[in-house]
Amino acid sequence: MEAFSYRSLLYLTMDLSFAAGLLGVLTTVGWFLTPLLRRRAAAAGAGDLEVVGRPMVGLRAGSWLLLALVALCFAVNLGAQFARYAEVRHWPAQTMYEVIPLGTTACFLSVVVLYFVLGLHRLQGVSRGFGDKFVAIILLGCGATIRYVLTLDPSGRPLPPALQSYWFPTHISAYVFGYFTLFIATLATWLFFAFRFWRGVLRPAEHSVPRKLLLSIGLFALVPVPFGWMGALMGPGILALTGAIALFSVRFLPQGLRWFDAWEAGADTFTWKIFMVGFPFLTAGLVQGALWAQEAWATYWGWDSKEVSALISWLFYAVYLHLRYVAGWRGERCMWILLFGGLSVYITFQLFGDLPASQSSLHRYTDSEVVPAEGLMRVSE
Amino acid sequence: MAVLALWVELAAWLAGSARSAGGPDRWLYAIGFFFTLFPVLALVVYRWPLVFDLFRSVRVGVVNLIFVGLGAIGGVLWHQEDPNHPLPPDGMAVLLDPQRRSEKWTPATQAAWRQFDEFRNAHAYFTYKLLHGLGFHLLPGASPECTVDEAAIQRQLDLLRERLPELRDRFGEEFAAGLEANSARGLRTRAQLAEIGAFERSTGDFWWTLFVWSDRLDLIRVYRSEWYAALWAILFFGVLSNTFRGGWRRLLRPAKWGFAITHAGVLLVVVGAFWGRLAEERGMVELHVGETQGAFQLYRGGVAPFRTRPPLGLSEERPFALRLDGFRADYFDVLDVLYARQDAQGALDFEFPLDRQPKERLYPGQRLNYDYGPAWSGSGREREPWLRLEVLELYPKAEIRSRLRPAAPGEEGARPMSQIVVRGGGADAERILTHVSATEFDPLFEPPLVHGPSGTRVRCALAGDADEARRVLAQAVPSRYGRLRLSVPDGAGGGATVDVLPGERRQVEVAGATYEVEILSAVPRLRLESRPDGTMGAVTDTRPVERQVPDNPAVRVRLTGPGVAGKESWVLEQEFHPEARRIGGLELEFAWDRWSAPAAQRWILFQLPDGSVWSGLVGDPGSLQPLSPGTGRSLGDADLVLVQSSSRGSVDQVPVELAGVDFFYPAAPAARLRATTPEGQREFILNGAEGSPPEILRYAGPDGRERLVFLRLREDLDDLPLEWRSKLTVLEERPGPAGEAGAAGARRPRLEPVSSGEIRVNDYFVHGGYRFFQTNADARDPTYSGVGVVYDPGIETVLLGLYMLAGGVVAVFIVRPLLTRGKEA
């Protein structure tokens, strides 16, 4: 394998992503341990600066290093895209082997942008730890995604006439950036609900959470299960992880789950800001798709199932937007729509090929199951 | 909202039925339609504020948006019929009637069944994926044998994995990874399809019932149903009333610009879409190169004539016709890299029995590496390829030109040759010709050089001395246009060959039967064009036969014999379809005689034993003169030049890029490659023309065994093309010249070109309100082009709306927050 080939750079991105994710896990643990250190310092009568100061400096450096690694992941992943461009001689967005890493590139970029937009760099203590955990989950998810991509057919396919358009790179990139940013919004929303769930379960007296809400969150965790291992990780997996953190907080932290108060109060604004970044790209993808279809088939909207799937996602977010702007909805009610919007985006992006209406879609370029290819069957039989 | 949508559906159904029904039923539907509209009319007249409040309500707007979304979800979860090929009601009627179902199926019935089959497949596939995702591992009706046997798949993959290291070394990491991924996917898909098939068979009645009701309830055409259109109409009025809520002056505030632009964009999109829905015409016109059509086939059924549609009907509509002047599908240029092995008997087989052997799309400067082994070049790397291919030059359109050079001592195949050129009349003709002895000359095997403008033919011959040359020049040339061979298709019973001379009639014996062949005409350049009555007719070239280059020779014959009574037909020299060569059980093959057919002058270049070249005019032995390389002699209106000559000549093939030719010029690719192995370097030319020989490389591989590699350049016809393109001309009727009067004395109209353009996928051509775009092609028929035709007056409105929507979103989400942040700071 050549040192600067697409595949080798993907391997490097995956390794970096996992390494950064593990660093995020370590800094998360570190930030969560700072209250314990403080308590120990207080008990020993030592100065706060003396006992906690040095680890705090290290943790802060670790958190910044985490961000630097995300930026490095972005740079290497982007480099991989350019390497692929040189290999296949077109914008690498035709097969899932190319589109998904384009998405992880967008994801790394989103994390860097959102880190500052959301003010994660200003947080301290356990809140900073929660922020690092958020980033770590995204990085580990990206690493796992690239690992999955490396099992796919890596052959470069020629670009069919319909895809040879100047809209091809911009339309797909806008959608992919929008999708992955909105995935991050979904993840933030789901983390919010998961912690709400555990607070209601572990501290019902302090934080009353309606039973209906608890049940709804529990059921929602099961919704992505039929979508394979990724769904299982995102649904019950995240719920279990947050459960472990909540249990640790309740058991060991002096303030229990109080650190979540600030997050709970700001969750709506936090997810809204992520949405504000992702939604214009989703709209741009939709509009560009219509303009492109008009050029290719003189039909700006052919009700193709992929187009409709994308429209459904857009409508979810349009409803979210209007309920916030016009009806003044805020908080939990609104965030449920974001959750279902994320689910719709996932179906459009990954599960579209299974839907009945997709069988005759004109958008099945990326689906290798259209024509099942069998390589060395004469040898293997 | 749902009630409103259903009400619209009911109203539309009643209106449609009133229009289509006859007799008393018609009035029944019309009265029903009136009473359906009545409550709404009453509301609008007496309670207008109520109606306005309804549309202005945020709750109604959001609920409606949810209904639009739910309708869309329904459309995605239900297999939709192709709007270009809707389910034929006649076909469904036959399938629904048990008695008629056993009748012979019409195309409509077959189409209806095909749609049901697609519906069933799509839903069974979805059910499979859903149930398996939920943990059910066997669909109802499927036997355990047809489930995915993971152990069996793994056994097969293990066999593959045994050879994977070897394949990885030979073709690289990516190739091996792709092979493994595709094999695993292929094996699993095969098992999945078996299970889905068994499931479909066991639940066939259920799917049929579901399909019938889906058709009745419009679930297979959600997006074209009236109820869905009604939801969009409600959305339109909701957006409209809310956008202007509080007065239009409010929208002039800079803070509201983004909001106003976005919503005005949405309104324009909906208005344009409805306008298009009411007025659009969609269809296709199928054309062959040279063919003209004045109408197109509508997807909804029927035929519509082309007529210019001026915007808003501001000027008169005019009929027009569309002619296809050119079409070509250009395919990707690929290099096949075929590793072969040879057994003891010399038989060749692929070294790796793959379903698909490796192929690479080529581009200039590309480096391809194969056969990785220990480093041999001193590069310092641990492993490196033992075969490196570098694409030095790639010509997408090239002509392989011949270059004459003196043969090396001992070189095989060397022959006496001359390179000659005839210049003049605006077109030069150049060839390398072999000097053959006068007695062995056959114009069909050694065609002479043909120069059209001067009507000159030139060939090369050998002569012992000048006297022998003069004797050859004095010989008469046989009078014939070509030869026509008649035989039976299976080759039994022999055949007969006749000389072609227009006006002649011959009796021939073929396979024991006697036929009469009459030669009606013979032309060197046949062109067929469609006539106004739709038939095809030959276009005659007004130039004399001798001044035409025979690039498509043809003979028109009348054949009479057993089973064929005076049948007339064109026989083309370049007819490749065996069926098209057959007339009444006989196969006819025609060859134009480029030497004996009429010519203004025929010249022969003689090479004498001393290597000197002499030229002379046939029929004039006194014209014989020596001709030195680089010199020429006048032919009247042209010059004959001897470029070079050799008594032991050899010809090299050199690729020359065809500059200045357009997309439609059919030419094969060519490439110059360099191969590097531990044994050395070699450069070679690959010609992509069909039938060109492959380049063969031999080298010792890292394991010490000899490698045999076949390299072949070709256009990849197995995959999608690189591009399709059609050249179209629009013709309109214009009064003919004053001399061409019709029966009533009026000038007979003639079709004249008014505009022309090229179409390709993603680039359409517009004329008279119609958009023409490249839709399909037929790999078996290179002259066919499927041109999509769309008349949709709403497109511009929709496009404007889309741009406004995008601009508005940018203003709301990017520009305004940035400006506001600045103010806050």
Side-chain angles (χ1 to χ4, degrees):
Chain A
M1 201 168 20
E2 301 293 325
F4 293 104
S5 70
Y6 177 63
R7 199 169 176 82
S8 62
L9 288 172
L10 279 189
Y11 270 113
L12 183 60
T13 312
M14 179 185 74
D15 293 342
L16 276 172
S17 191
F18 278 135
L22 287 177
L23 177 67
V25 171
L26 289 178
T27 56
T28 304
V29 172
W31 285 114
F32 271 82
L33 287 177
T34 49
L36 290 180
L37 288 177
R38 277 210 175 88
R39 194 164 62 177
R40 189 171 291 176
D48 190 64
L49 194 69
E50 202 178 309
V51 178
V52 189
R54 194 173 290 171
M56 283 284 274
V57 171
L59 282 174
R60 214 169 287 138
S63 292
W64 281 110
L65 180 63
L66 174 65
L67 186 65
L69 278 175
V70 179
L72 186 62
C73 284
F74 166 68
V76 176
N77 207 343
L78 189 68
Q81 299 307 124
F82 282 111
R84 186 63 169 180
Y85 181 90
E87 288 168 15
V88 295
R89 297 267 151 167
H90 58 73
W91 184 244
Q94 201 199 347
T95 62
M96 278 300 174
Y97 184 67
E98 294 162 358
V99 173
I100 297 178
L102 194 66
T104 52
T105 314
C107 207
F108 293 131
L109 179 64
S110 286
V111 170
V112 175
V113 171
L114 291 171
Y115 206 83
F116 296 100
V117 169
L118 302 173
L120 295 184
H121 61 297
R122 284 195 294 264
L123 297 177
Q124 291 297 331
V126 176
S127 286
R128 182 74 178 254
F130 184 76
D132 282 1
K133 186 188 79 109
F134 180 58
V135 174
I137 290 175
I138 296 171
L139 288 169
L140 292 173
C142 284
T145 305
I146 297 173
R147 194 171 184 280
Y148 161 72
V149 166
L150 289 165
T151 66
L152 299 176
D153 176 12
S155 351
R157 287 196 214 147
L159 215 54
L163 297 188
Q164 292 166 31
S165 164
Y166 50 85
W167 292 112
F168 178 61
T170 56
H171 166 67
I172 299 197
S173 303
Y175 256 137
V176 166
F177 189 84
Y179 281 171
F180 275 76
T181 306
L182 292 166
F183 279 149
I184 295 174
T186 311
L187 178 67
T189 312
W190 181 226
L191 283 174
F192 163 80
F193 279 113
F195 275 109
R196 285 272 285 154
F197 178 83
W198 290 114
R199 217 146 78 145
V201 170
L202 299 172
R203 283 277 188 268
E206 291 171 33
H207 309 279
S208 95
V209 178
R211 187 171 289 179
K212 211 159 67 176
L213 180 63
L214 286 178
L215 193 67
S216 304
I217 297 170
L219 284 175
F220 187 83
L222 300 175
V223 171
V225 172
F227 302 162
W229 61 270
M230 194 66 121
L233 273 181
M234 293 304 291
I238 297 266
L239 196 63
L241 179 70
T242 48
I245 293 172
L247 205 61
F248 170 84
S249 303
V250 169
R251 177 76 182 79
F252 298 108
L253 298 187
Q255 300 286 316
L257 274 167
R258 286 244 172 259
W259 61 266
F260 185 62
D261 288 351
W263 276 95
E264 190 174 20
D268 182 67
T269 315
F270 186 81
T271 49
W272 166 249
K273 282 183 175 174
I274 307 176
F275 164 82
M276 291 267 282
V277 174
F279 186 68
F281 286 92
L282 194 69
T283 309
L286 195 77
V287 169
Q288 288 180 60
L291 296 173
W292 184 3
Q294 193 277 138
E295 279 180 17
W297 306 307
T299 308
Y300 48 84
W301 195 262
W303 293 105
D304 182 274
S305 47
K306 186 84 170 185
E307 292 171 5
V308 178
S309 292
L311 177 70
I312 292 166
S313 306
W314 191 83
L315 285 174
F316 265 112
Y317 292 113
V319 167
Y320 169 75
L321 182 71
H322 283 83
L323 284 176
R324 277 186 74 94
Y325 267 145
V326 186
W329 280 27
R330 292 288 185 276
E332 251 167 49
R333 289 198 296 181
C334 250
M335 289 166 76
W336 274 110
I337 305 174
L338 276 185
L339 266 192
F340 281 98
L343 199 66
S344 171
V345 166
Y346 185 72
I347 290 171
T348 307
F349 187 60
Q350 276 292 288
L351 302 176
F352 155 78
D354 297 344
L355 300 174
S358 74
Q359 306 301 312
S360 52
S361 170
L362 292 166
H363 283 81
R364 296 198 75 177
Y365 304 111
T366 54
D367 194 345
S368 51
E369 272 189 36
V370 178
V371 183
E374 298 177 26
L376 203 65
M377 301 313 296
R378 278 166 58 197
V379 168
S380 57
E381 278 176 347
Chain B
M1 211 60 52
V3 172
L4 265 176
L6 287 172
W7 169 82
V8 171
E9 180 76 34
L10 176 69
W13 177 72
L14 287 168
S17 303
R19 216 167 46 186
S20 58
D25 286 355
R26 184 177 196 152
W27 289 106
L28 211 62
Y29 286 123
I31 292 166
F33 179 62
F34 173 77
F35 280 104
T36 316
L37 286 187
F38 190 74
V40 178
L41 291 174
L43 255 179
V44 170
V45 173
Y46 296 107
R47 289 281 184 272
W48 170 245
L50 202 70
V51 176
F52 194 67
D53 283 348
L54 175 86
F55 285 121
R56 224 171 52 178
S57 155
V58 172
R59 186 172 291 177
V60 169
V62 170
V63 168
N64 186 54
L65 214 52
I66 291 169
F67 270 98
V68 168
L70 286 176
I73 291 172
V76 172
L77 292 177
W78 227 254
H79 182 74
Q80 299 293 296
E81 70 176 11
D82 181 355
N84 293 341
H85 302 95
L87 184 66
D90 306 348
M92 272 305 278
V94 173
L95 292 178
L96 284 166
D97 186 344
Q99 288 176 335
R100 291 176 63 198
R101 211 173 180 178
S102 54
E103 291 172 5
K104 191 175 180 225
W105 283 9
T106 60
T109 316
Q110 288 169 10
W113 180 261
R114 217 169 23 248
Q115 289 218 17
F116 162 63
D117 199 36
E118 283 170 11
F119 175 89
R120 184 174 57 176
N121 287 342
H123 285 271
Y125 184 76
F126 174 63
T127 311
Y128 173 90
K129 290 284 180 181
L130 187 69
L131 292 184
H132 275 254
L134 291 170
F136 297 95
H137 290 298
L138 193 60
L139 294 178
S143 62
E145 290 84 53
C146 57
T147 53
V148 177
D149 184 350
E150 202 55 50
I153 291 173
Q154 284 309 322
R155 278 197 301 278
Q156 286 187 295
L157 288 177
D158 285 344
L159 286 171
L160 164 66
R161 286 182 189 124
E162 279 175 20
R163 290 203 75 179
L164 266 186
E166 201 184 342
L167 282 156
R168 192 174 289 121
D169 284 347
R170 192 65 64 86
F171 300 111
E173 163 78 19
E174 288 215 352
F175 182 83
L179 203 58
E180 192 176 7
N182 280 336
S183 295
R185 185 185 286 274
L187 289 166
R188 288 199 181 93
T189 305
R190 192 188 285 181
Q192 279 177 15
L193 294 179
E195 186 177 341
I196 292 168
F199 172 57
E200 278 180 23
R201 283 190 295 277
S202 68
T203 50
D205 290 343
F206 166 74
W207 295 118
W208 174 247
T209 310
L210 192 67
F211 181 66
V212 170
W213 280 100
S214 301
D215 173 36
R216 286 178 185 165
L217 297 174
D218 278 350
L219 292 175
I220 56 167
R221 55 187 80 86
V222 167
Y223 312 120
R224 287 180 298 127
S225 62
E226 277 78 14
W227 62 263
Y228 198 63
L231 290 177
W232 280 96
I234 295 166
L235 181 73
F236 171 81
F237 288 114
V239 174
L240 183 69
S241 51
N242 277 299
T243 304
F244 293 101
R245 188 185 208 171
W248 60 272
R249 284 175 198 281
R250 190 179 62 109
L251 303 177
L252 298 179
R253 293 205 306 265
K256 286 284 173 190
W257 286 357
F259 163 82
I261 294 170
T262 308
H263 289 82
V266 172
L267 291 174
L268 284 176
V269 169
V270 179
V271 167
F274 269 92
W275 187 9
R277 189 179 163 125
L278 294 174
E280 72 171 1
E281 283 180 358
R282 281 177 190 278
M284 205 172 124
V285 57
E286 298 186 320
L287 292 165
H288 285 83
V289 175
E291 193 180 348
T292 305
Q293 293 274 6
F296 66 105
Q297 194 74 38
L298 291 166
Y299 287 139
R300 61 168 186 258
V303 174
F306 290 124
R307 54 185 204 280
T308 55
R309 308 283 192 90
L312 305 172
L314 292 176
S315 57
E316 199 186 335
E317 292 184 351
R318 296 186 310 276
F320 68 88
L322 195 67
R323 187 176 71 203
L324 179 67
D325 287 335
F327 172 78
R328 191 165 161 258
D330 188 20
Y331 290 84
F332 287 95
D333 304 328
V334 292
L335 175 73
D336 289 322
V337 182
L338 311 170
Y339 273 91
R341 65 179 164 208
Q342 206 160 13
D343 64 14
Q345 282 74 41
L348 285 168
D349 196 5
F350 293 119
E351 194 175 344
F352 298 98
L354 305 166
D355 279 359
R356 277 174 293 185
Q357 295 290 325
K359 65 180 180 189
E360 303 280 352
R361 271 183 298 135
L362 291 190
Y363 54 86
Q366 188 179 18
R367 285 161 192 256
L368 300 163
N369 297 326
Y370 300 94
D371 217 353
Y372 285 82
W376 54 268
S377 66
S379 62
R381 284 187 294 181
E382 204 175 311
R383 290 170 69 76
E384 63 181 330
W386 282 49
L387 172 61
R388 264 202 300 260
L389 296 174
E390 194 178 348
V391 184
L392 301 174
E393 285 168 302
L394 178 68
Y395 310 105
K397 280 177 188 289
E399 197 173 76
I400 301 294
R401 293 222 176 119
S402 303
R403 191 173 61 192
L404 179 61
R405 62 169 172 82
E411 187 176 332
E412 289 178 11
R415 285 179 295 172
M417 293 178 182
S418 289
Q419 185 174 358
I420 52 173
V421 59
V422 177
R423 296 199 178 105
D428 297 351
E430 187 171 357
R431 286 277 301 276
I432 294 172
L433 294 171
T434 304
H435 293 267
V436 293
S437 75
T439 50
E440 291 172 6
F441 174 67
D442 184 338
L444 300 187
F445 289 104
E446 285 290 333
L449 178 147
V450 176
H451 185 245
S454 64
T456 306
R457 313 291 184 259
V458 186
R459 71 177 179 90
C460 291
L462 288 170
D465 52 28
D467 288 340
E468 186 187 342
R470 285 192 191 92
R471 280 198 297 278
V472 173
L473 289 174
Q475 287 171 4
V477 176
S479 178
R480 64 170 176 231
Y481 282 63
R483 291 178 203 162
L484 183 68
R485 180 172 164 73
L486 300 91
S487 60
V488 288
D490 61 0
T497 303
V498 294
D499 282 350
V500 171
L501 264 174
E504 284 217 343
R505 194 178 290 185
R506 296 273 177 83
Q507 300 273 343
V508 292
E509 190 95 3
V510 181
T514 305
Y515 293 86
E516 186 186 84
V517 188
E518 186 181 353
I519 309 297
L520 302 171
S521 63
V523 292
R525 301 179 77 233
L526 180 69
R527 294 285 177 275
L528 292 174
E529 199 173 89
S530 64
R531 291 173 173 150
D533 63 359
T535 59
M536 300 294 283
V539 179
T540 48
D541 195 327
T542 51
R543 292 173 297 177
V545 171
E546 60 269 26
R547 308 252 173 207
Q548 298 177 37
V549 177
D551 55 6
N552 188 29
V555 58
R556 188 158 181 83
V557 297
R558 182 184 292 137
L559 189 69
T560 309
V564 49
K567 186 171 170 56
E568 287 183 21
S569 180
W570 282 105
V571 183
L572 277 68
E573 186 182 60
Q574 294 164 18
E575 181 58 74
F576 303 113
H577 296 289
E579 282 300 320
R581 289 201 299 256
R582 284 178 196 166
I583 306 174
L586 287 186
E587 191 167 300
L588 278 73
E589 290 170 83
F590 170 62
W592 186 263
D593 187 333
R594 284 157 175 77
W595 181 250
S596 307
Q601 48 188 330
R602 298 184 180 86
W603 289 79
I604 303 179
L605 265 66
F606 297 95
Q607 195 178 75
L608 271 51
D610 61 359
S612 64
V613 177
W614 295 59
S615 64
L617 180 65
V618 174
D620 181 7
S623 65
L624 190 71
Q625 284 179 13
L627 193 64
S628 311
T631 63
R633 61 185 295 179
S634 175
L635 309 178
D637 48 359
D639 292 314
L640 168 65
V641 178
L642 174 67
V643 180
Q644 59 174 320
S645 183
S646 172
S647 54
R648 285 193 74 249
S650 185
V651 176
D652 285 339
Q653 303 294 318
V654 184
V656 177
E657 187 165 19
L658 292 171
V661 296
D662 67 0
F663 176 84
F664 302 95
Y665 187 85
R672 194 160 65 84
L673 275 78
R674 183 192 292 140
T676 308
T677 65
E679 292 157 29
Q681 280 192 344
R682 198 172 122 199
E683 282 185 22
F684 50 89
I685 304 288
L686 284 177
N687 183 1
E690 204 177 336
S692 300
E695 184 69 24
I696 301 169
L697 298 178
R698 286 175 191 272
Y699 68 94
D703 54 4
R705 289 192 312 205
E706 190 190 45
R707 302 276 193 264
L708 179 59
V709 196
F710 288 78
L711 300 171
R712 188 178 60 185
L713 178 68
R714 65 184 169 92
E715 286 198 300
D716 191 7
L717 302 179
D718 310 329
D719 227 318
L720 280 166
L722 170 66
E723 193 178 329
W724 294 317
R725 215 186 275 188
S726 297
K727 199 188 283 180
L728 299 173
T729 296
V730 174
L731 306 155
E732 281 188 17
E733 279 190 350
R734 296 272 188 274
E740 287 184 21
R747 287 181 181 181
R748 184 179 295 159
R750 67 187 335 174
L751 286 174
E752 282 187 3
V754 289
S755 68
S756 62
E758 284 184 11
I759 56 166
R760 49 185 214 110
V761 180
N762 287 316
D763 191 5
Y764 54 70
F765 165 62
V766 181
H767 180 82
Y770 291 88
R771 283 169 163 77
F772 301 100
F773 57 102
Q774 191 66 57
T775 299
N776 64 25
D778 184 354
R780 292 164 302 176
D781 185 353
T783 65
Y784 165 82
S785 173
V787 179
V789 183
V790 169
Y791 169 70
D792 183 348
I795 285 183
E796 281 79 10
T797 313
V798 171
L799 293 186
L800 178 63
L802 287 171
Y803 281 117
M804 287 173 72
L805 174 63
V809 168
V810 169
V812 170
F813 285 89
I814 298 169
V815 178
R816 196 176 157 213
L818 287 175
L819 293 177
T820 317
R821 200 170 64 161
K823 274 184 189 168
E824 279 171 3

